Amino acid sequence: MNRPAQAVVMLLLGGAILRATWTDAYLRYVKQGLRPLLIAAALLLVAAAVMTLRYELRDQPGDRSERDDDHHHGRSGHKVGWLLRLPALGLLMIAPPALGADTVARAGSALTRTEEIAYPPLRPGDPAKLTLLEYGYRAIYDEGRTLRGREIELTGFIATGPDGQPMLARIILACCAADGVPIKIGLRGDVPRLPSDSWVQVRGRWIPHTAKDRINDSHIPYLEVDSWQRIRPPTEQYE
């Protein structure tokens, strides 16, 4: 790929990153705290691309015949260079969705610890709004002690459980989507019958029932659902 083609790819990639950070689409790929680093990297790419194009577009002395010869022999290289711009252009125009039910079906649950931990009581007042990870830890490793007798509210998307029934799930990130791991909560009672990746907010009660994840043999706790409502996907879809 020649220099102008490289500059255009950098410009498109930098523009795609800037667009993603401006519209919050970047939250589909990385955690919120990485936004300043993304903006800095995008600006650096755009600046480098502009400087390269400015240099290449200047009139420079040289042998015209030699440049024509290089153009003739490098024609196929130029075509490849244009093709390499397509992924960057696609990223600029089309934003891939966040990780969802497909990841849940292919990856084991994040609840892989074995030790029991005592958790502090939940804050007063029902419903107690918990993340799926916090509910999972309290349900499995604290044996539901702090969950008993409380109304719990969880938010996540619908995926298919090990028993073929709908379950609630959400993806946990350590840094970016490449290291995303699902947290899975089984459902009983008034279970939402919705397509996979539908976002819901459920209210219910802890029950002493668990299942095994067939992928990594981890625990899947359950919730007895009393009520639920379908919601729009949140801006920050990862826990």
Side-chain angles (χ1 to χ4, degrees):
M1 188 191 301
N2 58 18
R3 274 182 155 186
Q6 292 174 352
V8 171
V9 171
M10 287 194 299
L11 186 62
L12 289 174
L13 184 58
I17 297 174
L18 284 176
R19 176 179 176 271
T21 54
W22 181 264
T23 62
D24 288 334
Y26 77 100
L27 293 172
R28 302 176 185 179
Y29 318 112
V30 298
K31 301 189 75 171
Q32 188 174 25
L34 295 178
R35 185 175 194 174
L37 296 178
L38 285 176
I39 294 175
L43 292 175
L44 184 61
L45 284 172
V46 170
V50 170
M51 292 176 64
T52 301
L53 288 173
R54 183 179 178 183
Y55 174 80
E56 290 296 324
L57 291 176
R58 276 197 240 157
D59 290 332
Q60 298 185 29
D63 187 354
R64 178 57 182 267
S65 63
E66 182 179 346
R67 291 200 302 269
D68 290 342
D69 185 62
D70 290 341
H71 176 76
H72 175 74
H73 290 290
R75 187 172 297 170
S76 60
H78 296 332
K79 292 180 180 179
V80 173
W82 279 107
L83 290 176
L84 291 174
R85 295 169 191 164
L86 295 179
L89 185 60
L91 182 61
L92 182 63
M93 302 299 295
I94 304 172
L99 301 178
D102 182 63
T103 300
V104 174
R106 293 184 286 104
S109 175
L111 295 176
T112 56
R113 292 161 51 183
T114 57
E115 70 274 15
E116 292 186 4
I117 299 176
Y119 287 86
L122 299 177
R123 292 181 180 180
D126 284 341
K129 298 180 180 181
L130 302 178
T131 66
L132 269 62
L133 186 62
E134 185 177 8
Y135 178 82
Y137 278 155
R138 290 175 180 268
I140 297 298
Y141 304 118
D142 195 43
E143 298 181 347
R145 293 185 183 94
T146 59
L147 302 174
R148 296 170 185 171
R150 298 296 304 272
E151 183 183 26
I152 307 298
E153 182 177 286
L154 303 176
T155 299
F157 58 84
I158 297 297
T160 302
D163 56 358
Q165 298 299 311
M167 67 177 177
L168 199 64
R170 204 153 180 176
I171 306 297
I172 303 169
L173 299 188
C175 171
C176 57
D179 58 35
V181 180
I183 177 72
K184 309 175 184 182
I185 306 296
L187 302 175
R188 289 285 185 268
D190 185 15
V191 179
R193 303 290 175 175
L194 296 171
S196 294
D197 290 319
S198 299
W199 280 83
V200 294
Q201 190 177 79
V202 301
R203 292 185 179 184
R205 295 166 284 109
W206 169 80
I207 54 175
H209 177 74
T210 63
K212 286 287 188 178
D213 193 316
R214 298 174 182 175
I215 299 175
N216 64 350
D217 205 37
S218 61
H219 295 286
I220 298 178
Y222 274 70
L223 180 79
E224 182 77 19
V225 179
D226 295 327
S227 64
W228 62 271
Q229 62 175 338
R230 190 170 185 174
I231 61 173
R232 291 179 177 274
T235 301
E236 191 169 1
Q237 299 188 25
Y238 303 123
E239 285 193 1

